[in-house]
Amino acid sequence: MRSSCVVLTALVALAAYYTYTPLPSTVSDPWKLMLLDAVFRGAQQASNLMHYLGLSHNLLALNFIIISFGKKSARSSGQVKVTDTDFDGVEVRVFEGPPKPEEPLKRSVVYIHGGGWALGSASTQYYDELCTAMAEELNAVIVSIEYRLVPKVRFPEPLHDVVRATKYFLQPDVLQKYAVDPGRVCVSGDSAGGNMAAALSQQFNQDANLKNKLKAQALIYPVLQALDFNTPSYQQNENAPILTRYVMVKYWVEYFEGNYDFIQEMVVNNHTSLDVKEFAALRARLNWTSLLPASVTKNYKPVVQTTGNARIVQELPQLLDARASPLIADQEVLQDLPKTYILTCEHDVLRDDGFMYAKRLESAGVEVTLDHFEDGFHGCMIFNRWPTNFSVGIRTRNSYIKWLDRNL
C-alpha cells in the first residue's frame, strides 16, 4: 500500500512538472492553456518518437492523432446545409447558411484552415463548427478547402490547391448554383491558412483574366514571412504555448522540404545575414524598427548577423518567394488589394507578421482593420467549446464574424 502511494505521488508530481509552464498573467485562462499545451506537447513528442523509430513521419503521426480526436462528418443542421464535394479536383466542405427572403444572393467566405501546412482538416470539429457558425450568423456560403498537406506535398502545392478550388468557385455558373453574389466574396484563413489567403489575394489581384474579384480578405494570426525569426514577438514569445519559435521554423523547413540542420541556423537569422546578397533588396520590407510601433518594439534589438550561411537561401530559394512570404511582396502588388482584416494575438510569435503587413498595406493605400487581443495566444479563435473553451477564443471569433458581417 505504501509503495503504491509513493508511486502515485511520484506520477502526480511528474505530471504537474510536465504540465506547468510559466505564463504571463495577461494571457487568457492560463491554467487551462497550460493543460492544452501539455497535451499538444505530448502528442508532438509521441509523433517525434514514432519518426525516430522509423514508424511514420512525425507530421503524419501528429496529424493522425489530431484528426482521430476531432473528425466530424458532413452533417447538416436545421439552419445550415453541409456537403462534401470537390472543386476542380480539390476536396471542399461547403456550408450553406439560411436564405434571406430580402437577399436572393448570399455573401460567401472561402476559408483555409491552419496547421503549419501539415496539420488539421476542414472536417475537424473545430473548423467544422467555426464554418457552421459563420454560415448561420452571416447567412452565407462558406467553402472550407481541404488542401493537400505536408509531407505528402510541398510548397507550392498546397497553395495551388487553394487557388484552383477558389478559381473554380468564382466561375459564374458555380456562384449561381450556390446563389452567391459575385461581388461579395471574401478569402480568409488562420495561421498557415492566413498565409495562403494572403498569397491568393495577391495573385488574384494581379490576374487580369479573373472577372470576379475578391471583396475582402480576413487573416487570422497569419504567418507571413520566413526571413526574420527575431522580430520582437519571436523574441518575446519564443517558448510560448502551442507555437514556439523552433516549431514555427521547423514547419517552414518542412514546407520547403529543407534540411533539418538549417533549423537552428534560421532561428538566429543566419539565413539572412549581411553576406547573403539575395536578401539585400528585401531587407527594407522587413525592417520592423520602422514598421512596428514603439509599444511593440519596446527594448528589443534587431538580430542581424554579419556572416551566416548563404547555402540556406541557395538550397531554399522559396524563402524569397512572395507566394510563401506575402509580407515581402512588391509595393505595386499590395496596391488595390481588397479591404483587409488582420487579427493578432499578444502571446504569439506571429504577432509582428500581422502588424508589419497591416503597416505595409496601409502605406499602399489599402483599407485595413488591425484587431489585436492582448490576452490572445496562437490558435485561440478555434478554442471556444468545452473543455477547450477560452474567453479570448469566444471574443476573437465574435469580433471576426462581426467584421465580416459589416464589411462583406
Side-chain angles (χ1 to χ4, degrees), residues 350-371:
L350 302 179
R351 179 198 66 192
D352 295 345
D353 283 22
F355 268 76
M356 288 190 288
Y357 197 47
K359 183 66 174 179
R360 287 208 66 207
L361 289 177
E362 287 175 349
S363 298
V366 178
E367 181 183 339
V368 180
T369 298
L370 180 61
D371 199 6

Side-chain angles (χ1 to χ4, degrees), residues 119-403:
L119 308 174
S121 166
S123 65
T124 56
Q125 177 179 316
Y126 292 115
Y127 288 110
D128 182 274
E129 292 182 353
L130 170 64
C131 292
T132 297
M134 291 165 62
E136 183 171 354
E137 294 180 38
L138 297 171
N139 303 102
V141 174
I142 312 300
V143 177
S144 187
I145 301 178
E146 192 76 280
Y147 57 90
R148 290 170 296 166
L149 301 174
V150 172
K152 292 185 178 180
V153 296
R154 311 284 181 160
F155 173 83
E157 293 308 312
L159 178 60
H160 284 170
D161 286 354
V162 167
V163 170
R164 191 161 66 250
T166 307
K167 280 188 174 181
Y168 179 90
F169 179 60
L170 289 177
Q171 293 179 112
D173 57 331
V174 180
L175 292 175
Q176 184 178 21
K177 174 185 175 181
Y178 290 101
V180 168
D181 185 338
R184 301 178 73 188
V185 180
C186 169
V187 63
S188 182
D190 62 300
S191 193
N195 168 279
M196 290 187 285
L200 178 146
S201 188
Q202 291 181 5
Q203 184 171 326
F204 279 20
N205 191 49
Q206 298 295 301
D207 190 342
N209 297 319
L210 196 64
K211 294 181 179 179
N212 294 323
K213 298 292 186 178
L214 298 169
K215 183 176 182 180
Q217 61 173 339
L219 314 177
I220 313 302
Y221 30 79
V223 50
L224 297 170
Q225 58 87 25
L227 298 170
D228 187 354
F229 295 112
N230 286 274
T231 62
S233 61
Y234 267 110
Q235 294 185 52
Q236 172 184 297
N237 301 302
E238 62 175 325
N239 294 311
I242 309 300
L243 184 66
T244 66
R245 175 167 59 180
Y246 182 89
V247 169
M248 187 64 249
V249 177
K250 186 177 180 181
Y251 282 143
W252 275 113
V253 170
E254 288 281 8
Y255 192 33
F256 296 150
E257 200 170 6
N259 191 320
Y260 276 14
D261 292 341
F262 292 160
I263 296 175
Q264 198 55 52
E265 291 203 72
M266 291 170 67
V267 165
V268 296
N269 285 353
N270 274 347
H271 61 311
T272 54
S273 53
L274 294 176
D275 61 334
V276 178
K277 297 178 181 178
E278 296 90 339
F279 179 58
L282 302 174
R283 201 171 296 280
R285 300 177 190 179
L286 287 171
N287 181 12
W288 56 258
T289 60
S290 61
L291 292 172
L292 297 177
S295 60
V296 167
T297 58
K298 299 176 183 175
N299 294 320
Y300 292 104
K301 304 296 182 185
V303 175
V304 181
Q305 309 292 355
T306 304
T307 57
N309 187 348
R311 177 171 151 249
I312 297 175
V313 171
Q314 291 167 2
E315 292 193 18
L316 300 178
Q318 308 96 312
L319 285 163
L320 307 178
D321 192 326
R323 293 176 301 167
S325 297
L327 181 55
I328 65 174
D330 293 340
Q331 189 79 350
E332 293 74 20
V333 174
L334 301 183
Q335 293 172 356
D336 300 321
L337 281 174
K339 66 173 64 176
T340 301
Y341 172 86
I342 301 176
L343 188 151
T344 57
C345 294
E346 181 65 21
H347 308 284
D348 181 8
V349 293
L350 302 179
R351 179 198 66 192
D352 295 345
D353 283 22
F355 268 76
M356 288 190 288
Y357 197 47
K359 183 66 174 179
R360 287 208 66 207
L361 289 177
E362 287 175 349
S363 298
V366 178
E367 181 183 339
V368 180
T369 298
L370 180 61
D371 199 6
H372 183 63
F373 287 80
E374 288 290 340
D375 59 343
F377 57 90
H378 190 78
C380 63
M381 195 179 79
I382 62 172
F383 297 121
N384 46 57
R385 177 175 175 172
W386 190 90
T388 56
N389 53 320
F390 289 81
S391 168
V392 71
I394 296 169
R395 285 182 282 110
T396 50
R397 192 187 79 167
N398 289 345
S399 186
Y400 164 62
I401 293 178
K402 184 177 181 180
W403 185 89

Side-chain angles (χ1 to χ4, degrees), residues 47-121:
S47 62
N48 289 339
L49 177 61
M50 293 179 70
H51 187 104
Y52 177 77
L53 295 175
L55 300 175
S56 172
H57 190 286
N58 64 294
L59 292 176
L60 292 176
L62 182 57
N63 200 39
F64 176 80
I65 295 171
I66 292 171
I67 300 298
S68 297
F69 281 94
K71 190 165 186 177
K72 191 174 181 181
S73 59
R75 186 177 304 168
S76 300
S77 66
Q79 294 292 316
V80 179
K81 179 183 177 182
V82 183
T83 54
D84 286 338
T85 183
D86 74 88
F87 285 176
D88 194 16
V90 179
E91 294 180 13
V92 297
R93 177 165 288 189
V94 182
F95 304 78
E96 299 176 67
K100 282 184 176 181
E102 68 274 17
E103 292 185 10
L105 295 180
K106 301 175 185 176
R107 48 195 170 179
S108 181
V109 177
V110 175
Y111 197 85
I112 311 163
H113 72 81
W117 306 282
L119 308 174
S121 166

